[in-house]
Structures are given as C-alpha cells and as structure tokens.
C-alpha cells in the first residue's frame, strides 16, 4: 500500500538519529572544541572541514550536512554544526597507557591534529576541553584520595568528582582553564559497555558545551541592568511629573515617554533571543547532569552540586533581567495609557467647550437670520409694492378705478404676507434637507 507522505517525513523521522553517539573503548584521548560562529563563519567551518578531508583524500561533506564523523588515520573527527556554534571533537586511542603510571601526562587528541589547521578554525573559541577515558586501574591510588594521574592532570584544590553511569564509572574535573587553554576531565571507564561509554562521553562534552553557551546570557544581563536602572529612574521621574503637569506640559511628557518606550523595547528585542537561548541551555545542562546518573564520592562535590552552586546565580541573573524587562515594559505601557487617557479626556473637554461655543454662535446666527429675514420681507415688499404702484398708474387710463396710492396701500399687507409665507416655506425646505443629510 502506497500512502502520500508528508514532504518532511523522512527528515523528521531521522531527527531522532541525528548526532548519534558511537561505541568507545578505553584508553582514549578526546579533545573537544566549541567555536562560536555567525552564519558566515559556520559556512567557513564547512569549507575548513572540506579542506582537511581533501588533504587526506576523503569524500567531501554534503552541502546540507550539519554532522559528520570520519576517521583520519588513527584520529577520529566529529564535526557538528549548531545554530550558534560549531563543535569539533577529536578522538585518538592511547596505545601506551602505562606511561601515565610513571607520572607523565597522557597525550591529547589535539596533539595528533595538524596545528596550523587547528589554529585556523573559524569563529571564536567558546570552550575547549581535553577528556581522557582511562581504565580504572590508572585512577585508583593507594590511599583514599585522588590517584596520582588525577593529581597531575587536575587542580586538587578545585577537584570535583562523582561516580557515574549508576556507579560503573568515575569522572573527575576541576572546571579550570589550564596553561594550554583547555579545561580537563578524566573519566574512568570501569565496566561500562562501549555503547553506554559513548553516550556518557557525549553527555559530559555537552555539559561543558551547554554550560558555556548558557553563560553567554550573563554579560547581556549585566549590560541590561545598567540600561534598565536608567530607564526605571526615568520612568519614575515621568510618573511624578505627570501628576503635577499642566496641559501645556503634556506633549513634552508624551514625547519623553515615547522615546523611553522605544529604548526599552529596543533593548528587550536585542536581548530577548539571548536570554531565551540561555534558559534553554541551562535546562539542557540540568538534563545532561541527570542523564549521567552521578553519585557522590567521599570528600568531593558532584558535578550536579557544583553546577547548582555556581550556575544558579548566573541563571537567576538572566531570569531576573528578563522579568525586569517585562515588568518595565508593562509599566511603561500603563503610564503611556494613563497619559493618553488624560490627553483624550482633555481633548474631549475641549471638544465639548468648542461645541458649546458653536451652539452659542449658532443661536446668534439664527437670531441674526430672523432679523435679516424680517428686513428681507420689508425690502422685498417695498420693491413689489413700488412695482404695483407703477402698474396702477399705467392702468388708470385703461379704466382702473383706484388711484396708485390706494392700490399700493391695499397691496402692502397682501404682498408682505405672501413674501413672508414664501420665505418660511423655503426655510423649512432647507432645514428639512439638512436634517435628512445629517
């Protein structure tokens, strides 16, 4: 049976298989780099990857691919393209783990990578970490404290450690950037199966990646606080000024309030996406910490406890900046509505006063119109009676019995009434037409 498929069906179905973990086995050296990159730098990262593959006569990446895993000799390369950054994960097996027992640091995966190519990675380095996956024998010292290799690789005064994977492994880190520019983490593989070890390594790398990505919101929050503090003071001054302002001050206050609203909304728009991304990254960090299933080692903080103490203030700062922005935006909107309502009420009062003045003027016009109509009746009557007098004079030789003065006297009331009646009829017709139009 063939059914019509959604055009994105296969893409959406394969999304659950995107960036899959790969089976790993100890001993292993991993170098993980996260490069913060814009759109142009992400495109340059794809070209940078293609150049490396071309140098090793390997197939080029797909133009739309955002994930690639390939082997370059003994080195395994994992490239992942994200929305804001590009991650490069280099892995190499350790062939001589016994060297670590002699007090020497194990080699890193970055050492086996062409240094000129590594130094030219597009973007800005947001996080870089060396992770060594070692057998349990290399991490168990003779006493209850950290083993010699942990002491040599990590700072003991800032050491954080826990058992992971339901007690099957142990992880140690100091969350410090060492002289080579990398942070460090040591993982005891224990009896973890290769597939679960691959998932565990990916989760540990993502904790470091998302931790740094989440903290990108902290500088933005600190900058926002300076702008918000100034805007809140300005808003308080405006609110106080509105209480005592006269009508002539309202246009200036409305202009200041409009500019303040524009400043607040502009700052909110500039930081909203950053704070939203940080909130999502903080949640991912918490989820990955829960996924590694850690338990406490004697005398050490767990990764979850360390993150809870150190990340919570930064997370709260970002959340508080978001809440202050929303609150300030709402307050500006309320005061703007209050000032607009006040202006509208005053405009309505001015309109009512104007209407009252117009009514007074209309009454005066009506009275004047009545006076003019009376004068018009008299004037028209005068001219018509004059015409009647001329007609009477001309009609006397033809037998008209009355004199011109008598005829005019008789015609005066008749003509005056007729003119008055015609004007009233015309006035009523005009008035009824205006009422119909309105």
């Amino acid at each position: 049976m063939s059914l019509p498929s959604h055009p994105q069906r296969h893409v959406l179905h394969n999304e659950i298989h995107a960036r899959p973990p790969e089976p790993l086995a100890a001993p292993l050296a991993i170098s993980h780099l996260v490069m913060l990159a814009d759109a142009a730098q992400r495109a340059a990262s794809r070209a940078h990857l293609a150049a490396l593959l071309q140098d090793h006569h390997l197939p080029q990446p797909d133009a739309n691919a955002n994930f690639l895993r390939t082997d370059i000799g003994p080195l395994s390369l994992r490239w992942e393209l994200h929305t804001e950054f590009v991650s490069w994960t280099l892995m190499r097996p350790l062939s001589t783990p016994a060297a670590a027992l002699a007090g020497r640091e194990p080699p890193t995966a970055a050492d086996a990578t062409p240094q000129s190519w590594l130094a030219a990675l597009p973007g800005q380095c947001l996080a870089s970490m060396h992770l060594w996956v070692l057998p349990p024998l290399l991490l168990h010292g003779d006493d209850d404290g950290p083993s010699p290799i942990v002491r040599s690789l990590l700072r003991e005064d800032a050491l954080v450690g826990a058992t992971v994977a339901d007690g099957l492994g142990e992880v140690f880190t100091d969350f410090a950037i060492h002289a080579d520019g990398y942070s460090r983490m040591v993982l005891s593989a224990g009896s973890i199966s290769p597939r679960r070890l691959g998932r565990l390594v990916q989760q540990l790398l993502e904790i470091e990646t998302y931790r740094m990505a989440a903290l990108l919101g902290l500088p933005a929050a600190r900058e926002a606080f300076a702008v918000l503090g100034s805007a809140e003071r300005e808003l308080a001054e405006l609110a106080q000024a509105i209480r005592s302002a006269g009508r002539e001050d309202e246009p200036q206050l409305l202009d200041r309030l409009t500019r303040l609203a524009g400043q607040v909304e502009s700052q909110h728009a500039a930081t909203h996406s950053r704070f939203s991304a940080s909130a999502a990254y903080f949640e991912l960090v918490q989820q990955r910490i829960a996924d590694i299933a850690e338990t406490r080692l004697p005398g050490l903080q767990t990764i979850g406890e360390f993150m809870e103490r150190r990340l919570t203030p930064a997370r709260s700062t970002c959340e508080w900046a978001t809440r202050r922005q929303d609150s300030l935006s709402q307050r500006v909107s309320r005061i703007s509505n209050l000032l607009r309502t006040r202006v509208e009420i005053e405009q309505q009062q001015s309109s009512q006063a104007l209407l009252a003045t117009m009514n007074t003027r209309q009454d005066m016009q009506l009275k004047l119109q009545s006076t003019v109509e009376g004068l018009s009746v008299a004037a028209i009557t005068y001219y018509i009676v004059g015409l009647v007098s001329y007609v009477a004079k001309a009609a006397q030789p033809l037998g008209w019995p009355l004199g011109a003065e008598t005829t005019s006297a008789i015609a005066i009331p008749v003509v005056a009434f007729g003119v008055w009646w015609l004007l009233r009829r015309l006035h009523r017709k005009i008035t009824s037409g205006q009422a119909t139009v309105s």
Side-chain angles (χ1 to χ4, degrees):
M1 181 176 59
S2 176
L3 297 175
S5 296
H6 188 277
Q8 298 293 322
R9 176 191 175 188
H10 293 285
V11 175
L12 298 176
H13 178 272
N14 293 332
E15 184 64 26
I16 62 173
H17 303 292
R19 301 181 176 91
E22 53 189 290
L24 300 177
L28 187 69
I30 301 172
S31 295
H32 181 68
L33 298 101
V34 179
M35 306 299 294
L36 194 65
D38 55 21
Q41 290 168 335
R42 290 196 296 273
S45 296
R46 191 189 302 275
H48 199 62
L49 172 66
L52 179 66
L53 298 179
Q54 185 177 5
D55 291 342
H56 291 80
H57 307 288
L58 295 172
Q60 294 294 298
D62 186 82
N64 298 319
N66 54 18
F67 169 81
L68 179 70
R69 191 265 181 202
T70 186
D71 292 327
I72 304 175
L75 188 70
S76 176
L77 172 63
R78 184 184 179 98
W79 172 79
E80 298 182 36
L81 186 65
H82 297 263
T83 304
E84 294 185 285
F85 56 85
V86 181
S87 65
W88 305 81
T89 306
L90 309 166
M91 303 182 190
R92 61 179 290 195
L94 295 178
S95 57
T96 57
L101 295 175
R104 294 165 48 192
E105 289 189 2
T108 67
D111 295 336
T113 309
Q115 296 302 301
S116 58
W117 178 87
L118 195 63
L121 290 178
Q124 297 175 319
C125 183
L126 179 64
S128 58
M129 184 175 70
H130 293 314
L131 170 62
W132 290 278
V133 183
L134 303 175
L137 293 177
L138 298 181
L139 296 181
H140 287 171
D142 297 332
D143 52 10
D144 294 334
S147 65
I149 189 172
V150 173
R151 292 192 183 99
S152 65
L153 291 175
L154 306 175
R155 291 169 46 186
E156 189 171 355
D157 58 340
L159 192 62
V160 175
T163 63
V164 292
D166 299 321
L168 299 179
E170 296 177 355
V171 62
F172 300 92
T173 184
D174 55 9
F175 289 107
I177 299 178
H178 291 255
D180 59 356
Y182 288 78
S183 58
R184 296 180 175 185
M185 186 176 290
V186 181
L187 173 62
S188 169
S191 57
I192 305 176
S193 65
R195 295 191 64 85
R196 187 170 186 181
L197 181 60
R199 291 196 301 271
L200 179 60
V201 167
Q202 184 171 344
Q203 290 159 359
L204 292 173
L205 296 178
E206 289 177 349
I207 288 174
E208 179 69 9
T209 300
Y210 295 140
R211 174 181 73 90
M212 294 299 297
L215 290 173
L216 286 174
L218 186 58
R222 290 170 176 166
E223 294 177 3
F225 283 146
V227 177
L228 290 171
S230 174
E232 287 172 344
R233 289 190 296 271
E234 175 74 10
L235 183 61
E237 294 174 0
L238 283 172
Q240 183 65 28
I242 289 173
R243 294 179 56 187
S244 57
R247 181 177 299 181
E248 64 280 0
D249 300 325
E250 290 174 352
Q252 181 181 2
L253 292 176
L254 188 59
D255 179 66
R256 289 176 58 189
L257 193 57
T258 302
R259 286 189 283 109
L260 178 61
Q263 178 186 4
V264 172
E265 292 302 322
S266 175
Q267 200 260 353
H268 183 275
T271 58
H272 176 72
S273 60
R274 181 71 270 155
F275 292 153
S276 298
S278 291
Y281 288 136
F282 279 124
E283 292 181 2
L284 287 173
V285 171
Q286 287 185 327
Q287 183 61 48
R288 295 302 182 268
I289 292 175
D291 291 340
I292 64 177
E294 61 177 352
T295 55
R296 179 187 294 274
L297 284 173
L300 294 178
Q301 279 186 313
T302 65
I303 294 177
E305 291 172 343
F306 180 86
M307 292 292 188
E308 182 68 22
R309 290 185 57 191
R310 304 301 176 91
L311 279 188
T312 297
R315 183 174 188 176
S316 299
T317 300
C318 295
E319 292 175 350
W320 175 233
T322 302
R323 288 196 297 269
R324 281 186 67 181
Q325 284 181 338
D326 294 337
S327 175
L328 182 60
S329 179
Q330 294 173 3
R331 289 163 56 195
V332 170
S333 178
R334 286 198 301 267
I335 294 181
S336 298
N337 292 334
L338 178 63
L339 183 57
R340 288 192 184 95
T341 301
R342 175 174 170 174
V343 171
E344 289 174 358
I345 291 175
E346 293 179 353
Q347 288 178 346
Q348 291 176 359
Q349 293 175 347
S350 299
S351 299
Q352 291 176 354
L354 180 61
L355 289 175
T357 304
M358 292 176 62
N359 289 335
T360 302
R361 291 180 179 177
Q362 188 174 7
D363 292 339
M364 294 178 62
Q365 288 177 353
L366 289 175
K367 291 178 181 179
L368 181 62
Q369 183 179 356
S370 300
T371 303
V372 171
E373 287 180 357
L375 294 176
S376 299
V377 171
I380 294 172
T381 301
Y382 174 79
Y383 285 112
I384 293 177
V385 169
L387 293 175
V388 170
S389 175
Y390 287 125
V391 173
K393 288 179 180 179
Q396 281 181 347
L398 299 177
W400 178 254
L402 299 177
E405 292 79 3
T406 304
T407 303
S408 298
I410 296 172
I412 287 175
V414 176
V415 172
F417 177 79
V419 171
W420 175 83
W421 181 81
L422 289 173
L423 288 176
R424 293 295 297 175
R425 185 176 179 183
L426 179 62
H427 179 73
R428 288 174 184 174
K429 185 176 294 185
I430 293 174
T431 303
S432 62
Q434 290 177 349
T436 302
V437 171
S438 60

